[in-house]
Each structure stands twice: as structure tokens, then as C-alpha cells.
Amino acid sequence: MSRNARFRQQLQHATLMHAMSAHNPLSARLAADAGFDAIWGSGFELSASYAVPDANILSAGLHLDMMRAIAAVVDIPVIADIDTGFGNAINVAYAVPQYEAAGVSAVVMEDKTFPKDTSLRADGRQELVRTEEFQGKIEAACAARRDPDFCVIARTEALIAGLGQAEALARATAYEAAGADAILIHSKQTTPDEVLAFIAAWQGRVPLVLVPTAYPQLREADIQALGKVGLVIYGNHAIRAAVGAMRDVFARIRQDGGIHAVDAALPTVRDIIALQGDAGMRELERKFLR
Ligand code: SPV
Ligand code: MG
């Protein structure tokens, strides 16, 4: 079964899938090794790794290239965060086949205006496009895919924008009607209450997707028990882990005046060489170098 078909089947049935964010192929490989079901090709993480805001500062091509590089080194599905789709429905129609050709299994597109502002920032600039306009973008994405198993996930930022449950439900319902394969409902409240209220009220047929960054107390077992959620995305834990680890080690080296004290606690150079795919290269050497 293809990677796309596996993703679609798992999203629609069976147990809750979990995706870990990645900002480069190495972080994706570590997430796959840890046992995550899928990779979240996070715009927030990629922006952070370039030290720029998550506000469409980076080009679409740069994100696309990173998704291609990630999909090349992992077997698990890659879910690309295409923000608002880089413009209107026309931009979406051009972007989706490129993501599909890059080896991605799904895109998540959000209903904000382009250029977007990041969702979890306090007092971010959160403006939504008209529901009909976003329906057109979903329809464009669905029409542009070549593999019917490629998934189009619609994300509503209605709760993030403070527009309330009724607007969030109306938008999610309209997005399902436009052909979305799943609905991502995002929230920046520090308790899961508004997301739980949304889930309880959701009457749609397609599964829901959660990104519980702001309400980490909601565990997978609790989400699974709700029955309507097909995917949980851990949106920024790769970059936060990397930043924390680098900050600690860099500070320690300055403090100690050398690398003598930190060395034993770090992954070995041999470990990194293995993560670079050294075994595969040695196999090529054995076969082809004469
Ligand atoms: C991302 O990881 O880029 C996301 C999730 O879109 S969030 O940052 O919570 O908006
Ligand atoms: Mg994003």
C-alpha cells in the first residue's frame, strides 16, 4: 500500500495517529525512529530554524524543498503545513501538485488571510478569509491532487481569532462540504475546554485534528476516548527540544572553558554518522566501488 493510502486509511479508521513536527530531515528521522506515525512539516519550526517569524516570511519554495528532503529520508507519511496556501485558490491549485510530487501525503491549509501571523502568539494579527473564499481554496486543492489518497485537511482559526464556537462549527461544516478530508480545529486557550466543546458539538463525518500545544494536559488516551479525532499533531516540540539542548550545552562550554565536561553527555559522533545514513553509503561502496 502506498504511503498516501496508508495515511488516508489510518486517518479515517482505527486508532488515533500522532505526528511529530520536524524542521529538517534529521529531526524527521529522529521522530520516525521514536515511533511517531507521521511527520508534521511545520511552518513554525522551519521559520524558527531560519530565525524569522512564522508569518510567510520564508518562500513557499523553501518550505516545499524541505518537505521533499524530509519525505526522502523517512517512510512514514509527511503532512505539509502550507499555511494559507500562499495566496488565493489559484496559488493553491499550483502548490498542491508540487507538494504531492515532493512525496507529501497531506496538506493542512488554514483559513487566515495571506500573509498570515503565527497562531499561538498573544495578540497576533488573526484575520480570516470569507468562508466561501476558503471553500474555493479547498475545492481547488482537491481538484489539483492527482492521487485520490492525497489528503486535504482544512484548518479553521475561528477560535484562535476569537470568533466563537458557532463560527468555528459553521466554518468546519462548510469546509467538509467543500471536500476537506479532515478538519483541524486550533485553539490557544491553556485548557482544552473550548476544543472539547467543539468536539462534542461536531456532527460532521470527517475526523478532527488537534494541535494541543497550548493545552498539553490533554493526553492521547483522552483524545482517543473522544472518538472523533483521527490525528494529534505535536506542533513545535522538535525545535523546542533542539533550542533547549543547544542552549544548555553552549552555556556549559562557555562556563567550563572547553568541551571536556559536556562531551560524555552528548550523542557520539558515531551516532550522528549513523543518522546520516552511513550504512547505506557503505553498502554502495561494497557494490559499486572498484
Ligand atoms: C506549525 O507548527 O507551524 C503550526 C502549528 O501551524 S501552530 O504553530 O500552533 O500554529
Ligand atoms: Mg504553521
Side-chain angles (χ1 to χ4, degrees), residues 189-226:
Q189 281 196 359
T190 54
T191 70
D193 299 355
E194 71 173 6
V195 159
L196 293 176
F198 179 95
I199 296 168
W202 175 243
Q203 299 290 327
R205 282 168 293 103
V206 299
L208 299 174
V209 179
L210 303 186
V211 185
T213 307
Y215 48 96
Q217 60 274 44
L218 192 66
R219 299 177 191 199
E220 287 169 16
D222 305 324
I223 298 172
Q224 168 85 51
L226 297 168

Side-chain angles (χ1 to χ4, degrees), residues 40 42-44 81 119-120 155 186 235:
W40 169 237
S42 163
F44 179 88
D81 173 11
S119 300
L120 298 179
R155 159 173 167 176
H186 205 10

Side-chain angles (χ1 to χ4, degrees), residues 61-143:
L62 200 133
H63 184 260
L64 174 65
D65 284 346
M66 186 58 73
M67 295 305 105
R68 186 182 293 108
I70 287 175
V73 301
V74 294
D75 294 327
I76 56 177
V78 178
I79 308 157
D81 173 11
I82 62 167
D83 293 332
T84 66
F86 315 111
N88 64 18
I90 310 302
N91 299 81
V92 172
Y94 278 91
V96 163
Q98 296 187 50
Y99 275 86
E100 194 179 333
V104 158
S105 297
V107 289
V108 170
M109 181 169 65
E110 66 200 50
D111 56 1
K112 290 210 295 247
T113 53
F114 177 89
K116 58 162 276 180
D117 198 355
T118 200
S119 300
L120 298 179
R121 180 184 182 281
D123 306 322
R125 175 181 37 76
Q126 308 299 344
E127 289 154 14
L128 271 52
V129 296
R130 288 174 298 107
T131 300
E132 299 71 30
E133 182 180 342
F134 199 64
Q135 284 184 303
K137 292 173 79 166
I138 295 166
E139 287 170 22
C142 294

Side-chain angles (χ1 to χ4, degrees), residues 26-69:
L26 181 63
S27 52
R29 182 164 273 174
L30 290 170
D33 288 351
F36 286 96
D37 294 316
I39 298 297
W40 169 237
S42 163
F44 179 88
E45 288 223 352
L46 189 66
S47 301
S49 73
Y50 277 79
V52 299
D54 176 27
N56 293 124
I57 308 295
L58 298 180
S59 74
L62 200 133
H63 184 260
L64 174 65
D65 284 346
M66 186 58 73
M67 295 305 105
R68 186 182 293 108

